[in-house]
């Protein structure tokens, strides 16, 4: 099997409602969908969708420039040979793992379709028909956050992520107390600052919420700031934005900096890289999520397939952007929340086939 052509599509994903994090709000995301075409008539889809240009160094136009740089050198390769494909991408371009991730996801999709197996089966087998997820409550007033927490618990969610940061820390502290009063026992909480706290405010917040059980996700901007307060905090620390690749995950684990991860599929480089991270975390019994910062059904399906293969005792769920997006790429097999869980797709490969009318015409083609 050989790759004969690569098409790149732009998909505008307007945000339903308001999604506010410590560094600001987002209202429309530009997703980049990649289609790999082979000489055997099997096609695969991948996607990458940075959540705006300031969440991280990644941005939509950067992904497209990176794809343009790499795509020509991939034509002729067998996409089922992930190692070879990833080495070819490394030889063509340094960095830009989030763009390489779109190709990698599409290659896994082709591999699954070619062998008639789901990606989760190729990754070692799913733990069940559905997987855990968690709901993310954007930065909101203490009253709004408490109301939404109650509502999400009623829907069946058993893990909530409360966005904090980017405002007076007193409001964050009040929010966590109000949410804790609103929920019933059994609900697990994460307080995600998205790098938005100073080490001083992380200490204030953790010590004044010491009786509330939650994990503190990505409290500060750098590993050094987290290291400075790590052993004075009253809460376990998870790393998200700074877990940029396999090496940074190893660094954080080997220095004892964190107790788990919010792990993003495209940031680390796709399914192949996330599989490595999954296995490293397994060796150290570290909990983690398997998700991404945004994206449509293709990214959601890829996250769910990897998430379905993580030991359930340490799996923190796959967050998907579906509740904030109107419609699906694949209306027949959408990836969505159902009663606080996500059904693992059943079709071969990703199990999601985008409606080509929703992708429009390619913005770039290679091969
Ligand atoms: Mg996070």
């Amino acid at each position: 099997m050989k790759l004969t052509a690569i098409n790149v599509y732009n998909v505008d994903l307007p945000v339903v409602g308001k999604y506010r994090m410590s560094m600001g709000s987002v209202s429309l995301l530009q997703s980049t969908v990649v289609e790999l075409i082979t000489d055997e008539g099997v096609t695969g889809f991948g996607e990458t969708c940075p959540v705006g240009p300031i969440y991280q160094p990644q941005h939509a136009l950067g992904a497209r420039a990176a794809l343009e740089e790499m795509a020509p050198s991939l034509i002729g390769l067998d996409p089922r040979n992930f190692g070879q494909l990833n080495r070819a991408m490394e030889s063509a371009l340094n960095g830009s793992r989030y763009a390489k991730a779109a190709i990698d996801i599409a290659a896994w999709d082709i591999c699954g379709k070619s062998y008639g197996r789901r990606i989760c089966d190729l990754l070692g087998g799913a733990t069940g028909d559905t997987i855990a997820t968690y709901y993310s409550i954007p930065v909101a007033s203490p009253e709004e956050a408490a109301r939404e927490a109650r509502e999400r618990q009623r829907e069946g969610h058993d893990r909530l992520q409360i966005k904090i940061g980017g405002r007076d820390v007193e409001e964050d502290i009040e929010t966590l107390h109000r949410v804790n009063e609103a929920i019933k026992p059994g609900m697990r909480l994460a307080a995600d600052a998205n790098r938005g706290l100073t080490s001083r405010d992380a200490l204030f917040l953790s010590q004044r919420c010491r009786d509330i059980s939650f994990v503190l996700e990505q409290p500060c901007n750098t590993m050094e700031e987290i290291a400075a307060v790590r052993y004075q905090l009253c809460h376990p620390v998870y790393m998200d934005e700074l877990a940029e690749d396999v090496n940074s995950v190893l660094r954080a684990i080997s220095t004892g900096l964190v107790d788990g991860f919010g792990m993003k599929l495209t940031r680390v480089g796709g399914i192949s890289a996330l599989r490595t991270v999954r296995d490293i975390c397994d060796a150290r019994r570290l909990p983690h999520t398997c998700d991404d910062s945004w994206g449509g059904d293709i990214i959601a399906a890829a996250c769910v397939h990897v998430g379905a293969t993580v030991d359930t005792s340490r799996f923190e769920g796959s967050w998907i952007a579906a509740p904030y997006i109107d419609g699906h790429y694949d209306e027949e097999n959408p990836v969505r929340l159902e009663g606080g869980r996500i059904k693992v797709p059943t079709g071969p490969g990703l199990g999601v086939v985008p409606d080509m009318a929703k992708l429009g015409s390619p913005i770039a083609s290679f091969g």
Side-chain angles (χ1 to χ4, degrees):
M1 179 183 284
K2 284 191 171 74
L3 266 182
T4 54
I6 299 175
N7 291 324
V8 180
Y9 301 87
N10 169 70
V11 184
D12 286 336
L13 296 175
V15 178
V16 176
K18 201 169 162 200
Y19 197 80
R20 184 179 159 203
M21 294 177 285
S22 62
M23 86 296 285
S25 300
V26 290
S27 56
L28 179 124
L29 281 316
Q30 285 183 299
S31 195
T32 301
V33 171
V34 167
E35 178 188 26
L36 300 188
I37 298 170
T38 66
D39 59 351
E40 294 186 16
V42 185
T43 59
F45 291 91
E47 182 179 16
T48 190
C49 184
V51 58
I54 57 167
Y55 171 68
Q56 293 200 124
Q58 295 87 334
H59 61 115
L61 296 181
R64 293 163 194 185
L67 287 165
E68 191 174 335
E69 190 74 39
M70 294 183 293
S73 57
L74 307 179
I75 302 300
L77 296 180
D78 185 335
R80 297 170 302 182
N81 294 338
F82 311 118
Q84 195 184 42
L85 191 74
N86 276 288
R87 280 194 295 277
M89 289 196 278
E90 287 302 311
S91 301
L93 181 68
N94 195 349
S96 296
R97 284 177 301 278
Y98 66 118
K100 293 169 181 169
I103 301 277
D104 181 77
I105 294 166
W108 278 87
D109 189 27
I110 286 177
C111 192
K113 287 170 176 167
S114 163
Y115 297 137
R117 303 299 302 272
R118 301 178 301 170
I119 290 174
C120 59
D121 298 319
L122 301 178
L123 287 168
T127 53
D129 296 336
T130 64
I131 64 158
T133 180
Y134 61 95
Y135 202 93
S136 186
I137 298 180
V139 174
S141 70
E143 298 73 30
E144 279 174 68
R147 192 175 52 242
E148 190 163 2
R150 220 175 284 120
E151 199 179 311
R152 299 304 169 195
Q153 187 160 41
R154 258 199 307 272
E155 285 175 3
H157 287 278
D158 61 5
R159 187 177 193 262
L160 294 177
Q161 182 194 65
I162 315 298
K163 294 288 191 191
I164 57 170
R167 60 182 178 179
D168 190 330
V169 72
E170 292 296 328
E171 208 174 354
D172 288 331
I173 293 168
E174 176 67 12
T175 296
L176 290 167
H177 280 279
R178 294 291 291 272
V179 166
N180 188 50
E181 287 158 16
I183 56 172
K184 293 182 194 129
M187 175 66 85
R188 293 175 303 132
L189 293 179
D192 186 3
N194 291 112
R195 304 184 281 124
L197 297 178
T198 59
S199 50
R200 175 201 65 190
D201 286 351
L203 277 175
F204 282 150
L205 179 135
S206 181
Q207 292 182 358
R208 293 208 11 233
C209 295
R210 63 184 313 140
D211 295 329
I212 307 174
S213 296
F214 60 80
V215 297
L216 190 52
E217 184 171 324
Q218 194 63 55
C220 307
N221 192 34
T222 62
M223 289 204 193
E224 290 76 12
E225 286 162 82
I226 296 171
V229 294
R230 157 87 166 129
Y231 291 107
Q232 292 166 270
L233 295 172
C234 307
H235 295 90
V237 176
Y238 279 18
M239 180 183 282
D240 185 339
E241 283 91 325
L242 293 174
E244 292 176 346
D245 54 11
V246 174
N247 187 50
S248 54
V249 168
L250 281 173
R251 198 168 126 218
I253 294 175
S254 61
T255 55
L257 191 64
V258 297
D259 304 291
F261 295 91
M263 194 52 65
K264 298 294 186 282
L265 167 78
T266 56
R267 185 172 62 218
V268 296
I271 292 173
S272 301
L274 188 55
R275 174 182 57 175
T276 304
V277 169
R278 174 199 68 180
D279 293 343
I280 291 169
C281 287
D282 191 57
R284 285 290 178 93
R285 304 204 302 150
L286 287 169
H288 62 95
T289 69
C290 276
D291 36 41
D292 216 317
S293 52
W294 209 266
D297 292 288
I298 297 169
I299 283 182
C303 294
V304 169
H305 280 290
V306 185
T309 67
V310 178
D311 186 306
T312 51
S313 66
R314 293 189 293 280
F315 183 47
E316 292 283 27
S318 289
W319 176 90
I320 57 172
Y324 300 95
I325 297 171
D326 198 9
H328 292 272
Y329 296 163
D330 182 343
E331 296 291 353
E332 282 175 28
N333 297 291
V335 183
R336 62 182 174 209
L337 305 183
E338 286 171 45
R341 307 274 300 175
I342 305 173
K343 205 154 60 171
V344 182
T346 54
L350 288 167
V352 161
V353 181
D355 175 355
M356 296 308 284
K358 294 196 177 190
L359 302 185
S361 303
I363 53 170
S365 294
F366 308 90

